Amino acid sequence: MKHVIILLDGMADYPIPDLYGKTPLGYANTPNMDRMFQKGTGGMVKNVPDSLAPGSAVANLSVLGYNPEKYFTGRSPIEAASMGVSLKDTDIAARCNLVTLSDEPVYEDKTLIDYCSDEISTQEAKVLIEALNKEMNMEGMLFYPGISYRRLFVWSNGPSDMLLTPPHDITGKNINNRLPSHPVALEVMKKSHEILKKHPVNMARLEKGLNPANSAWFWGAGKKTVLPNFESKYGKKGAVISAVDLVQGIGVCADMAVIKVEGATGNFHTNYQGKAQACIQALKDGYDFVFVHIEAPDECGHRNEMMNKVRSIELIDEKIIGPVISELEGYDDYKIMALADHPTPLSLRTHTRDAVPFVIYQKGDVGNNQTNFTEETASKTGIFYEKGTLLADAFMK
Ligand SMILES: [Zn+2]
């Protein structure tokens, strides 16, 4: 039996006056999800436990049946997995931004001007990261360049209880009270500044009027993510299709195949057809479970782009869910679920931990519910999973 999950990241939302009091899902034209709901089942599920921040990694772990309260050790170790960096049990992995600090002579007096140094290019960042590794040459510590702003710092036998501040939370603020609680981590950041502030890459950036990437900044640290093998857990050979490194990293940690799709961007202009085709091919290639993750609705929520959010949900319904169901009909039996991981309400432009709607259709379901799939109709079914892992267990069974 084939199982497919279509994950519409951040889809769930509140009713919006400009959408005649409907949510983006309620307003969007989604005939495929509506048919699944009318013939199959649906309800609400809470993927973010109260003890954790409502991040996508936490919520997607739940959706895949891994209790985040047990398995989530931070974003950075999952990103390390997605980058192909295998951590030892004693390693600490941290996110490492290249930030712009102000010019005061004493490090602690500086202000954080730009958490991503005018979105420094992957290539420039790579040169700077290599300079740090070469010139600092620290025992048991290594920087990894990664892609875009996602750089990694791995510290062998590093402390697991460091207090670190995400740099995007303190733009324009003095860094003094926001520095790492661990003196060695602070020392490394200070040393990085000595090397980076006079590096030719930064000199060239200053000349062009761009913010220099003049300090490493650590955050999001954690120990290796260890997940039980997905196939042993559910008896299904699984594949993950996502443009987002965190979701790919969960796939790597769970020993699932991670299938990359050309033109999958993680935003509204993603390759919807390409994701559907990749899912269809994975089913043909013998995968019993495919997890298709689409970031676009979340991104539109963060940007407060109402009509793009509506449209992204319609495009997923039309270009992914429709073709995937058509393909699945050719198999003896299948189940497909569509759901959000967490809400990313347009009005808040950030994630919340509220329950989200899900819909499940199994081949041959002949339900006769007359309503369309929305947050409201899903909650009216009265089916509620307090934990995402319980829904995963029920779906995968
Ligand atoms: Zn998300």
Side-chain angles (χ1 to χ4, degrees):
M1 180 168 171
K2 301 286 190 187
H3 285 72
V4 172
I5 293 180
I6 310 289
L7 193 295
L8 299 96
D9 201 298
M11 168 176 70
D13 210 313
Y14 303 131
I16 297 167
D18 286 352
L19 296 178
Y20 306 101
K22 294 181 176 181
T23 64
L25 171 63
Y27 187 81
N29 180 31
T30 53
N32 292 300
M33 283 192 277
D34 292 340
R35 208 171 308 120
M36 286 169 66
F37 188 63
Q38 287 159 4
K39 293 182 180 290
T41 57
M44 300 294 284
V45 57
K46 195 166 182 307
N47 291 319
V48 181
D50 289 333
S51 61
L52 291 169
S56 286
V58 165
N60 280 281
L61 278 170
S62 287
V63 172
L64 287 166
Y66 297 102
N67 178 2
E69 290 181 295
K70 180 167 176 193
Y71 295 111
F72 181 70
T73 58
R75 293 169 58 108
S76 192
I78 300 176
E79 282 174 359
S82 79
M83 289 164 62
V85 174
S86 68
L87 300 173
K88 292 200 249 359
D89 293 342
T90 49
D91 285 342
I92 292 293
R95 283 289 287 271
C96 172
N97 278 43
L98 292 175
V99 301
T100 308
L101 300 180
S102 60
D103 288 336
E104 289 78 2
V106 177
Y107 194 82
E108 284 82 352
D109 291 346
K110 293 174 184 295
T111 293
L112 193 135
I113 293 173
D114 185 346
Y115 71 89
C116 65
S117 307
D118 277 328
E119 297 183 16
I120 184 167
S121 70
T122 301
Q123 192 47 41
E124 285 171 296
K126 194 162 177 255
V127 174
L128 295 177
I129 290 289
E130 278 163 5
L132 291 179
N133 278 330
K134 189 157 166 258
E135 293 184 40
M136 295 176 79
N137 190 22
M138 303 158 301
E139 175 90 34
M141 294 181 182
L142 202 56
F143 293 91
Y144 291 85
I147 303 166
S148 173
Y149 56 87
R150 293 184 283 268
R151 281 166 286 278
L152 182 71
F153 177 68
V154 177
W155 185 355
S156 163
N157 292 305
S160 56
D161 55 349
M162 269 188 296
L163 288 178
L164 299 168
T165 308
H168 47 260
D169 286 352
I170 57 166
T171 302
K173 294 189 174 143
N174 173 268
I175 62 174
N176 193 14
N177 301 320
R178 294 147 177 129
L179 291 165
S181 60
H182 196 280
V184 176
L186 176 57
E187 204 49 46
V188 174
M189 274 169 45
K190 284 183 176 176
K191 266 197 208 162
S192 78
H193 179 59
E194 292 308 313
I195 293 164
L196 294 177
K197 70 179 180 191
K198 52 181 198 252
H199 194 282
V201 164
N202 279 326
M203 294 296 137
R205 289 181 68 79
L206 280 166
E207 247 168 55
K208 285 185 231 160
L210 294 169
N211 282 332
N214 62 19
S215 184
W217 188 282
F218 302 136
W219 62 287
K223 281 180 166 284
K224 179 179 180 171
T225 310
V226 183
L227 299 180
N229 177 290
F230 186 83
E231 194 169 348
S232 318
K233 183 174 165 67
Y234 286 126
K236 305 234 157 247
K237 197 174 151 201
V240 168
I241 298 169
S242 173
V244 174
D245 53 352
L246 276 173
V247 179
Q248 294 176 356
I250 291 172
V252 171
C253 293
D255 281 325
M256 298 164 86
V258 175
I259 298 168
K260 305 213 169 156
V261 174
E262 188 101 12
T265 54
N267 62 37
F268 177 69
H269 301 283
T270 191
N271 182 358
Y272 298 91
Q273 290 98 332
K275 285 197 167 170
Q277 282 313 312
C279 174
I280 288 166
Q281 191 58 48
L283 294 167
K284 285 184 176 149
D285 290 344
Y287 290 98
D288 314 302
F289 170 70
V290 186
F291 183 72
V292 186
H293 168 271
I294 308 101
E295 180 79 349
D298 177 69
E299 189 66 21
C300 298
H302 286 295
R303 291 163 165 268
N304 190 19
E305 294 175 355
M306 183 179 73
M307 287 320 293
N308 277 351
K309 185 165 183 183
V310 169
R311 189 69 190 129
S312 69
I313 296 168
E314 292 178 338
L315 286 168
I316 293 165
D317 188 83
E318 178 195 337
K319 293 184 185 296
I320 300 181
I321 298 177
V324 167
I325 290 179
S326 295
E327 173 71 15
L328 285 168
E329 281 294 325
Y331 291 91
D332 292 343
D333 200 4
Y334 72 88
K335 267 185 180 182
I336 180 168
M337 171 159 70
L339 78 169
D341 50 351
H342 51 73
T344 309
L346 290 153
S347 58
L348 303 177
R349 303 186 66 167
T350 189
H351 303 175
T352 72
R353 61 175 68 256
D354 304 335
V356 296
F358 71 87
V359 57
I360 296 174
Y361 175 79
Q362 178 165 2
K363 186 171 185 174
D365 276 351
V366 287
N368 191 20
N369 164 7
Q370 294 300 313
T371 56
N372 288 342
F373 177 55
T374 69
E375 288 85 346
E376 193 185 355
T377 56
S379 53
K380 277 192 181 150
T381 65
I383 299 172
F384 175 68
Y385 287 91
E386 208 168 332
K387 287 177 194 275
T389 49
L390 298 176
L391 174 59
D393 290 349
F395 176 70
M396 297 303 300
K397 197 171 65 197

